[in-house]
């Protein structure tokens, strides 16, 4: 009996579709998404934090950085702890969070506000660390290290970024993630605007982190604002919270590689 090729192809397509429909979402991915949603929508979060969510989009950012329950995560330059609290709620009691600040931020902005936040017993898995970025005091085998809206400040604060990025590299487990969010400066401007506008050239940041031995994994456009021409100070009332931001995800290779 001759084979009807068109009918066979049709049956094969139906079979493929049926198989795809039967594939369920990975339980780990589902649990991570649920934990992030629960963290962001938690009634226990401060009202002032929740008011910032529409600009900062923490749900999308935490998903992009693959934060999951049970992880050990550090946030460098956590400030008053907006993201440290979210990380704490996502990783849960089986995870741990390091909230690091340097002396400059502790003295000027973060000491009492961060202590007040961490007095909440729901955040018992957060360990406050006051240390300089060149030697941030990170333990080994971390799953992720994040730096949110601060990398540009490392230039005018004259921080040894090579030492900082290498310390992050050494602290992460193989395959661990280094996540960066910052304000776009004009392409090709390097570090010109790091203090005057609090912006940095994204490609400069990428080059420095790759030089520490990381691999570039992905970029998110979740915080892009093309209408921002990158010429204004990020604290100007007309642009604050709506700057064009880059979101980079780097990974430590599965096999350690020496920096270039």
């Amino acid at each position: 009996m001759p084979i009807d090729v068109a009918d066979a192809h049709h049956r094969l397509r139906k079979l493929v579709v049926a198989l795809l429909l039967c594939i369920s979402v990975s339980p780990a991915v589902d649990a991570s998404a649920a934990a992030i949603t629960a963290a962001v929508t938690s009634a226990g979060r401060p009202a002032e934090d929740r008011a910032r969510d529409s600009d900062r989009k923490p749900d999308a950012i935490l998903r992009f950085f693959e934060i999951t329950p049970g992880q050990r995560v550090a946030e460098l330059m956590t400030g008053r702890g907006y993201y440290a609290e979210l990380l704490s709620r996502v990783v849960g009691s089986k995870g741990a969070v390091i909230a690091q600040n340097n002396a400059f931020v502790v003295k000027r902005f973060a000491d009492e506000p961060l202590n007040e936040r961490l007095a909440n017993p729901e955040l018992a898995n957060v360990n406050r660390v006051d240390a300089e970025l060149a030697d941030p005091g990170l333990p080994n085998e971390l799953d992720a290290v994040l730096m949110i809206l601060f990398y540009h400040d490392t230039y005018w604060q004259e921080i040894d970024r090579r030492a900082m990025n290498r310390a992050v590299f050494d602290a992460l487990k193989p395959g661990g993630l280094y996540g960066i969010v910052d304000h776009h400066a004009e392409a090709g401007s390097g570090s010109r605007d790091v203090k005057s506008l609090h912006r940095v050239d994204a490609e400069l940041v990428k080059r420095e982190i790759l030089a520490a031995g990381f691999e570039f994994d992905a970029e998110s456009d979740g915080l892009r604002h093309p209408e921002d021409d990158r010429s204004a100070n990020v604290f100007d009332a007309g642009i604050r919270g709506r700057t064009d931001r880059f979101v980079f995800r780097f990974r430590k290779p599965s096999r350690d590689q020496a920096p270039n």
Side-chain angles (χ1 to χ4, degrees), residues 72-77 97-101 127 129 131-142 144-146 163-172 178:
R72 300 171 69 239
V73 182
E75 186 190 9
L76 299 181
M77 307 308 288
V97 176
I98 295 166
Q100 178 269 347
N101 281 312
N127 179 34
V129 173
E132 296 307 310
L133 280 168
D135 185 12
L138 300 178
N140 294 327
E141 296 296 302
L142 292 176
V145 177
L146 308 183
M164 174 187 78
N165 289 329
R166 187 62 197 185
V168 173
F169 186 93
D170 290 343
L172 286 166
Y178 189 15

Side-chain angles (χ1 to χ4, degrees), residues 186-243:
E186 180 183 350
S189 62
S191 60
R192 181 192 67 198
D193 300 329
V194 294
K195 190 171 185 180
S196 58
L197 304 181
H198 290 271
R199 298 173 180 267
V200 65
D201 183 358
E203 290 304 312
L204 173 60
V205 175
K206 184 185 293 186
R207 287 197 302 270
E208 290 185 353
I209 294 177
L210 293 177
F214 287 94
E215 296 175 346
F216 184 71
D217 190 51
E219 178 178 3
S220 169
D221 63 0
L223 296 178
R224 293 300 308 274
H225 283 274
E227 71 279 9
D228 172 21
D229 67 7
R230 308 181 184 180
S231 66
N233 186 298
V234 302
F235 297 111
D236 286 359
I239 197 69
R240 188 169 188 175
R242 298 182 303 280
T243 56

